Amino acid sequence: MLLTSRLTVAQVRQEYVLDTDWRFMKGDVPDAAKPNFKDAGWQKVTIPHDWAIYGPFDGNNDLQAVKIEQNNEQKATLKAGRTGGLPFIGTGWYRRTLSVPGFGAGKRAVLLFDGAMSNAHVFVNGREVGSWPYGYNSFSFDITSFLQAGGNNTLAVRLQNQAESSRWYPGAGLYRNVHLIVTNDVHIPVWGTYLTTPEINTEYAKVRLKTKVEAATAATAPLRLQTEIHDAAGQVVATVTTPLAATGGQEFEQNLVVKAPKLWSPETPVLYTAYSKLYAGEELRDEYSTRFGIRSFRFDATKGFSLNGQLRKFKGVCNHHDLGPLGAAINVAALRRQLTLLKEMGCDAIRTTHNMPAPELVSLCDEMGFMLMVESFDEWKTPKVKNGYSQYFDQWAEKDLVNMVQRDRNHPSVIMWSIGNEVPDQSMPGGNKLAKQLQDIVHREDPSRPVTAGMDRIDDAIKNNFASVLDIPGFNYKPHRYPEAHSKLPQGFLLGSETASTVSSRGVYKFPVVVAKDKKYSDNQSSSYDLEACNWSQTPDEEFVVQDDLPYVLGEFVWTGFDYLGEPTPYDEKWPSHSSYFGIMDLATMPKDRFYLYRARWNTASPTLHLLPHWTWPGREGQTTPVFCYTSYPSAELFVNGKSQGRQTKSTTGTPQARYRLMWNEVKYEPGSIKVVAYDAQGKAVAEEEVKTAGKPHHIKLVADRTNLTADGHDLAYVTARVEDAQGNLCPEASNQLQFSVSGAGRFRAAANGNAASLELFHEPRMQAFQGQVVALVQATNQAGPVQLKVAGKGLKSAVISLKTEQPAKQK
């Protein structure tokens, strides 16, 4: 098959996802755009595809000699792992045959790219259709005049990544989906609707829908648009029919009323869909659907942020776009895995740092209930890296903002837009005017949402009237200066747009346990006691204090929800180190201890009780080994081998940590167990948690996040392999090499262990356990049936887990 159809709204409009039958070649290939070019020797690939994630890792890949001003560096040094040590630099070509079913006279065809990394040049039948340099943005081209009616066509895409073009791993290739959309000549274009809900109360919601209509020639009959709004159950709740007074290139405006609306929020992510049918006379010419939510929000100078009339603060994280062992290649199951873990933690918001997200993420946030800050740029005119976005800014910034806003402005999850992150233009003459120009573009395309930016140069941003221009002033890592900023700015509120940047390695604990900045160790790890940060950042607790005490602070977006490829601070200058340490969860999506610190604060629906560190320390007998408890309960008592170590209560006096953690700092290690008993506000014992000393590694235990998959060739199960002792205790220092084999209707996709200092390749079916654990990703094929994953390791009892794939439900 040359086309995979994932969505067919009606016969008048057909949309295909071009995911199969691609050929790929790394390197610049003369004449590769020509239809008669012989590509039989090229690699067969499926889109989305990231050519660089397969490695190998090498510290010389994109070796950068830079001074990172954002990190307060005074001189340039060599940075080996800044972009992950992966080979993303260079040119790559993609080719495939393109059949266009039903194409002919009176038809239009459009190619829509959700993102292409980067400097995309698109060719159809040897002729260049168009180009788009920014790798993170979505873009489309009308290819009608380039196609051969009734015959096969050739689609070719040339991509090129420059050295020193990024501060993190950007990925490479057609890493997001490519769509072919076939319509009639009279049609609704890509992102052709704009829906707002200008008035909402308990009795009704007013819905305003603006719909663009395009036509190469004037319609032969009068146009009308018939729209129905369906609720989540598919019931029609509002209808309207509107005639178009003029023909071609016009816009319909329709106003509908939904009675007794069900409101969208992170807790109740209720969705509606507007189905619009475009008629020319009595002939249906196009059909277009717009999914939306009904919700109101407000940023008030005296009260702060409210959603649907309820005051709240953002409990948010920042996330880069890569998916760990999958690289930048987008995958819905991987995104859903991330969002499920964030939801469990109590997170309700995401900042898409520092670029436009994949559309699948935005849709999942609609469905699962996350508020989004959709961000655009990491650079404006003034560069941070040699070949960053500054080279495109003058020509492309407005086009990129327009596409970003028009694509995502109907999504209820999107609450605000961000026009930039830590741009050096904060300090430049005219930087405030630049900020206003960009904000005005966003307001023009979407007057319904505010604009923010992440600012790190607080003195310059305030002095140069950069911060005062923004609808919402966002500050990165400045909790101690929030009161000063609030007193000097006119908005009446501010946002922690990027906070904490605490560093830790999952399951790694260092002694002595002290608060430290820029702390480095010989093993390239950071301590999971969650007291280590960067010279420019803080521990979580320091941000918690101001979030709790200052009502004008709107919330926070923690750096980061997950570890990501590249930017391995504090080991930028020490190879090997290929990924960050900032994540609340590691690169394999396994929670670190910090997950429970945030969960105890954010997840108000379920109690949290978590002990650290592990209790297997041969050779530390009698030595001071502090024990921390992250809990939603106000107090707890610690026992070591049944002996009480005293009761601790959270306190608003003393250090910020004493307010949010329970800490026994003088515990002496002895093998056996540690147990904590938690007490509620009335002093009643309500929960307990125990950690035991582990024996020798004995067997492997497998735990899958899900066992039923869809047989679509993309779906994933994340299976955690735990090295345990004979009694089922995790062996926290185990580093056994594990081998993975998959049989049946699935295949081994990748593995990750969360070890930033490892150079093992993700796609190889073997990996060392890190702190006793590895995660294997099993991918469904297109065939339904049973799947088995077997994991084995020398000296360990192997384990097998059974999964099942089922054919996807048919689209209505």
Side-chain angles (χ1 to χ4, degrees), residues 505 507-511 526-529 593 610-614 617:
S505 302
V508 173
Y509 306 92
K510 301 293 188 179
F511 305 96
S526 294
S527 178
S528 203
Y529 274 105
D593 291 294
H610 176 74
L611 268 180
L612 66 133
H614 64 73
W617 297 105

Side-chain angles (χ1 to χ4, degrees), residues 340-539:
T340 299
L341 289 165
L342 290 173
K343 183 69 77 170
E344 163 65 17
M345 188 173 69
C347 173
D348 66 8
I350 294 171
R351 175 185 178 211
T352 68
T353 45
H354 299 294
N355 43 260
M356 300 84 173
E360 290 87 351
L361 175 64
V362 186
S363 294
L364 280 173
C365 287
D366 289 346
E367 296 168 18
M368 298 179 68
F370 288 88
M371 297 178 287
L372 278 176
M373 179 203 299
V374 173
E375 192 155 87
S376 51
F377 307 123
D378 190 52
E379 259 186 33
W380 291 355
K381 278 182 175 289
T382 308
K384 293 181 185 178
V385 289
K386 181 180 177 182
N387 294 311
Y389 189 79
S390 58
Q391 64 186 310
Y392 308 121
F393 183 87
D394 288 336
Q395 183 181 351
W396 287 93
E398 180 170 2
K399 297 173 188 176
D400 277 319
L401 284 177
V402 167
N403 279 23
M404 175 185 81
V405 175
Q406 288 192 0
R407 192 195 77 180
D408 289 343
R409 63 187 176 182
N410 293 328
H411 290 273
S413 58
V414 179
I415 300 294
M416 65 183 103
W417 308 104
S418 170
I419 53 175
N421 170 67
E422 297 184 353
V423 294
D425 307 80
Q426 294 166 88
S427 305
M428 302 299 167
N432 60 331
K433 294 180 181 178
L434 210 53
K436 187 176 187 307
Q437 289 171 12
L438 298 177
Q439 182 169 261
D440 286 348
I441 293 168
V442 175
H443 284 165
R444 182 191 73 206
E445 299 300 319
D446 177 26
S448 73
R449 292 178 180 85
V451 173
T452 187
M455 296 175 285
D456 62 327
R457 305 182 181 197
I458 187 168
D459 293 309
D460 289 348
I462 292 174
K463 180 182 65 178
N464 295 341
N465 293 319
F466 187 101
S468 62
V469 165
L470 298 165
D471 297 330
I472 301 174
F475 290 103
N476 294 2
Y477 312 110
K478 299 296 183 289
H480 56 293
R481 299 191 66 184
Y482 288 167
E484 175 191 352
H486 178 249
S487 69
K488 292 180 177 179
L489 292 174
Q491 292 93 337
F493 47 71
L494 55 84
L495 177 67
S497 45
E498 192 171 314
T499 63
S501 270
T502 303
V503 294
S504 65
S505 302
R506 176 190 52 77
V508 173
Y509 306 92
K510 301 293 188 179
F511 305 96
V513 178
V514 293
V515 176
K517 296 289 181 80
D518 295 335
K519 183 70 175 176
K520 300 180 182 67
Y521 302 93
S522 60
D523 60 358
N524 286 17
Q525 304 297 343
S526 294
S527 178
S528 203
Y529 274 105
D530 301 322
L531 293 173
E532 297 176 4
C534 307
N535 69 79
W536 37 266
S537 65
Q538 297 83 31
T539 61

Side-chain angles (χ1 to χ4, degrees), residues 505-511 523 525-526 528-529 613-620 625 669 692-697 722-725 729-737 753 755 768-774 796:
S505 302
R506 176 190 52 77
V508 173
Y509 306 92
K510 301 293 188 179
F511 305 96
D523 60 358
Q525 304 297 343
S526 294
S528 203
Y529 274 105
H614 64 73
W615 208 240
T616 306
W617 297 105
R620 282 194 65 79
T625 307
Y669 174 68
K692 297 179 180 179
T693 302
K696 293 181 179 179
R722 294 167 48 95
V723 178
E724 296 183 344
D725 69 7
N729 299 304
L730 177 71
C731 297
E733 298 290 344
S735 58
N736 304 66
Q737 179 90 7
N753 60 13
N755 183 2
Q768 276 189 287
F770 178 63
Q771 305 304 117
Q773 299 186 85
V774 183
L796 298 172

Side-chain angles (χ1 to χ4, degrees), residues 430-743:
N432 60 331
K433 294 180 181 178
L434 210 53
K436 187 176 187 307
Q437 289 171 12
L438 298 177
Q439 182 169 261
D440 286 348
I441 293 168
V442 175
H443 284 165
R444 182 191 73 206
E445 299 300 319
D446 177 26
S448 73
R449 292 178 180 85
V451 173
T452 187
M455 296 175 285
D456 62 327
R457 305 182 181 197
I458 187 168
D459 293 309
D460 289 348
I462 292 174
K463 180 182 65 178
N464 295 341
N465 293 319
F466 187 101
S468 62
V469 165
L470 298 165
D471 297 330
I472 301 174
F475 290 103
N476 294 2
Y477 312 110
K478 299 296 183 289
H480 56 293
R481 299 191 66 184
Y482 288 167
E484 175 191 352
H486 178 249
S487 69
K488 292 180 177 179
L489 292 174
Q491 292 93 337
F493 47 71
L494 55 84
L495 177 67
S497 45
E498 192 171 314
T499 63
S501 270
T502 303
V503 294
S504 65
S505 302
R506 176 190 52 77
V508 173
Y509 306 92
K510 301 293 188 179
F511 305 96
V513 178
V514 293
V515 176
K517 296 289 181 80
D518 295 335
K519 183 70 175 176
K520 300 180 182 67
Y521 302 93
S522 60
D523 60 358
N524 286 17
Q525 304 297 343
S526 294
S527 178
S528 203
Y529 274 105
D530 301 322
L531 293 173
E532 297 176 4
C534 307
N535 69 79
W536 37 266
S537 65
Q538 297 83 31
T539 61
D541 322 72
E542 294 166 75
E543 184 72 32
F544 292 168
V545 169
V546 294
Q547 291 290 335
D548 284 346
D549 292 354
L550 304 179
Y552 54 81
V553 180
L554 303 172
E556 66 170 316
F557 289 84
V558 181
W559 192 263
T560 53
F562 294 83
D563 280 340
Y564 55 92
L565 291 162
E567 209 170 25
T569 312
Y571 298 104
D572 305 74
E573 301 161 21
K574 189 180 177 188
W575 185 257
S577 193
H578 67 244
S579 59
S580 78
Y581 300 76
F582 297 119
I584 297 171
M585 284 162 273
D586 70 15
L587 200 71
T589 72
M590 287 185 276
K592 303 179 185 178
D593 291 294
R594 216 169 344 133
F595 174 93
Y596 300 96
L597 182 61
Y598 283 98
R599 188 185 191 277
R601 174 178 170 78
W602 284 354
N603 186 341
T604 57
S606 304
T608 298
L609 186 61
H610 176 74
L611 268 180
L612 66 133
H614 64 73
W615 208 240
T616 306
W617 297 105
R620 282 194 65 79
E621 289 79 6
Q623 296 185 41
T624 300
T625 307
V627 176
F628 289 3
C629 177
Y630 297 160
T631 182
S632 52
Y633 297 109
S635 64
E637 185 175 6
L638 178 69
F639 298 86
V640 177
N641 293 331
K643 207 169 6 176
S644 176
Q645 307 297 303
R647 187 162 161 177
Q648 295 284 346
T649 301
K650 294 174 186 175
S651 172
T652 55
T653 61
T655 66
Q657 285 75 32
R659 188 166 169 177
Y660 302 100
R661 316 181 191 200
L662 302 177
M663 299 176 288
W664 293 263
N665 290 314
E666 302 303 324
V667 176
K668 300 294 190 292
Y669 174 68
E670 56 183 65
S673 79
I674 51 174
K675 184 175 77 171
V676 69
V677 176
Y679 300 93
D680 64 15
Q682 288 71 45
K684 180 183 176 183
V686 287
E688 62 180 51
E689 178 86 1
E690 186 174 21
V691 178
K692 297 179 180 179
T693 302
K696 293 181 179 179
H698 174 266
H699 64 263
I700 299 166
K701 181 181 178 181
L702 301 181
V703 181
D705 68 335
R706 46 205 291 259
T707 55
N708 287 350
L709 303 181
T710 301
D712 61 1
H714 298 279
D715 205 5
L716 295 171
Y718 282 66
V719 182
T720 302
R722 294 167 48 95
V723 178
E724 296 183 344
D725 69 7
Q727 284 70 47
N729 299 304
L730 177 71
C731 297
E733 298 290 344
S735 58
N736 304 66
Q737 179 90 7
L738 303 183
Q739 288 83 35
F740 310 99
S741 58
V742 177
S743 59

